Amino acid sequence: MDDYSEESSSSNLSSYYLHLTLSILAIISFWCQSVVTEERLVPALNVLADHYSIPEDVAGATLMAAGASSPELLCTLVSIFVTHSSLGLGTIVGSEIFNQLIICAGSVYATNSKVLVLDRRMVVREVGFSG
């Protein structure tokens, strides 16, 4: 019985250290991604928007969305054409639903007042393209 309890506690301890290590690596990964996005992606998108005279709201809705979705698109293309898996379609549909819900909820949550003021043109444009 002593061997079993020692193995069990050793297994629990190694599992704890594994979770701790993975959590620290995830935090470091998110921090690195935020630094790269802030220092590289956003300035590059600003240069593109200025060069092609794209309005700021359109550049944010298109260029930033394309930059943020590029890894997902690459994974989907690999899953469809390389591994011949049906994972790609589910990834796109699932992430679209998640993004729409989180962006809408985050916008409402981030308002400083109780009233969310929206521009009619932008709402019609976004609903027209997303719906």
Side-chain angles (χ1 to χ4, degrees):
M1 285 196 158
D2 289 331
D3 292 339
Y4 179 73
S5 63
E6 288 177 12
E7 287 178 16
S8 176
S9 65
S10 174
S11 174
N12 288 340
L13 189 61
S14 65
S15 175
Y16 170 76
Y17 284 125
L18 176 66
H19 283 81
L20 181 65
T21 303
L22 290 176
S23 298
I24 290 171
L25 287 174
I27 291 169
I28 292 171
S29 173
F30 285 127
W31 178 78
C32 290
Q33 184 178 6
S34 72
V35 169
V36 168
T37 301
E38 187 68 30
E39 293 182 3
R40 303 286 186 216
L41 180 64
V42 172
L45 294 178
N46 286 336
V47 168
L48 281 172
D50 291 341
H51 184 284
Y52 291 108
S53 302
I54 300 174
E56 195 172 294
D57 60 334
V58 175
T62 56
L63 296 178
M64 191 62 165
S69 297
S70 295
E72 183 177 281
L73 178 63
L74 180 67
C75 290
T76 301
L77 291 175
V78 167
S79 74
I80 290 173
F81 295 115
V82 175
T83 63
H84 303 292
S85 170
S86 62
L87 178 71
L89 182 63
T91 302
I92 296 296
V93 171
S95 69
E96 175 63 25
I97 294 169
F98 177 80
N99 288 342
Q100 291 296 324
L101 292 174
I102 292 299
I103 290 170
C104 291
S107 299
V108 171
Y109 184 71
T111 59
N112 293 332
S113 65
K114 298 284 185 192
V115 178
L116 183 61
V117 180
L118 301 172
D119 183 10
R120 181 179 293 274
R121 289 183 311 114
M122 289 184 191
V123 171
V124 169
R125 181 191 68 203
E126 295 299 323
V127 169
F129 282 111
S130 297

